[in-house]
Amino acid sequence: MSDQQGFTVWFTGLSGSGKSTIAEMLYHEFQARGLKTEILDGDVVRTNLSKGLGFSKEDRDTNIMRIGFVANLLTRNGVATICCPISPYKETRDANRALIGNFVEVYVHATLEELSENRDPKGLYKKAIAGEIKGFTGVDDPYEAPENPELVVDTMTESPEESLQNVLRALVKLGYLDSDEVMVQGDRMHSGLTDLRVADTGHVVKED
């Protein structure tokens, strides 16, 4: 679609809140609509675009601005761009909003208690709370929740499918999509662009 309007959907939230899960589902919805689309996932970008950066505030900001730089290039070339880094600092998110323009901020909400008790398969939150890991976002490093995002999805009360539906509705309301119909049902092939686990069949592994 040569006349496709580019835009960026920027998912932000704590580690484990569900950003990559919803982003992956949205990617397939965009594909089903014939849109050019790309995902910039936090962990994948760190491996390929921001290798060597640490987790100081300066390095975190640099990483997020690099993601924003690429997202801006994609957006202005008509790509439906999906970003899902933690992006803990409001100032850098706002800087990317100003840079990109067509920017839809989606706050993926889950509390620290929920994540540490029920979504901590590697035990990282528990180690951070115990002081064994330093500089962990949401524990001893700040996470600044968006004050006026275009959308909040609460993954403690919504299923991934419900969160996806809410994102599609928001994009229709904002004029980026014509329909909020969910077009892809069932298991989805892994995009290869997020850090979600992939099954031997090539599908995204559904987490319990």
Side-chain angles (χ1 to χ4, degrees):
M1 297 175 65
S2 59
D3 59 347
Q4 177 182 326
Q5 179 186 15
F7 58 94
T8 288
V9 180
W10 191 286
F11 291 100
T12 177
L14 292 171
S15 176
S17 59
K19 300 182 299 299
S20 295
T21 297
I22 305 167
E24 181 89 28
M25 296 168 76
L26 185 62
Y27 173 83
H28 292 289
E29 288 299 316
F30 287 165
Q31 281 198 321
R33 289 162 167 76
L35 301 179
K36 296 180 293 183
T37 181
E38 288 287 347
I39 299 178
L40 299 172
D41 184 56
D43 289 341
V44 176
V45 168
R46 270 197 171 270
T47 300
N48 296 283
L49 188 65
S50 295
K51 190 174 182 179
L53 288 181
F55 290 91
S56 66
K57 184 179 189 305
E58 183 180 6
D59 280 0
R60 289 177 198 256
D61 286 344
T62 298
N63 180 52
I64 297 307
M65 291 310 297
R66 286 181 183 177
I67 293 174
F69 175 79
V70 177
N72 182 49
L73 293 179
L74 291 168
T75 297
R76 74 188 197 197
N77 281 283
V79 177
T81 306
I82 303 166
C83 301
C84 44
I86 294 171
S87 46
Y89 305 123
K90 179 180 183 297
E91 184 178 4
T92 29
R93 293 195 306 265
D94 288 349
N96 281 325
R97 176 187 290 276
L99 174 68
I100 295 165
N102 292 338
F103 186 93
V104 181
E105 188 174 44
V106 180
Y107 175 31
V108 184
H109 175 260
T111 63
L112 178 61
E113 291 73 22
E114 162 70 14
L115 297 171
S116 61
E117 292 174 13
N118 301 315
R119 306 190 208 174
D120 194 19
K122 298 178 182 177
L124 297 179
Y125 275 105
K126 289 182 177 64
K127 288 180 180 178
I129 291 168
E132 297 171 25
I133 300 176
K134 301 296 183 183
F136 199 89
T137 298
V139 180
D140 63 340
D141 205 79
Y143 175 78
E144 299 170 0
E147 296 173 0
N148 295 293
E150 277 68 26
L151 178 67
V152 177
V153 294
D154 188 339
T155 60
M156 297 192 299
T157 61
E158 301 170 10
S159 68
E161 290 75 17
E162 289 170 331
S163 293
L164 172 67
Q165 185 70 77
N166 287 333
V167 173
L168 294 174
R169 286 196 191 104
L171 291 173
V172 169
K173 185 177 179 181
L174 293 165
Y176 293 118
L177 294 181
D178 294 328
S179 168
D180 62 9
E181 177 189 1
V182 176
M183 301 179 71
V184 181
Q185 304 289 343
D187 293 340
R188 294 165 176 82
M189 293 301 292
H190 199 293
S191 66
L193 300 172
T194 66
D195 63 353
L196 296 176
R197 291 196 300 134
V198 59
D200 292 339
T201 59
H203 293 86
V204 173
V205 173
K206 277 200 170 184
E207 305 291 351
D208 296 329

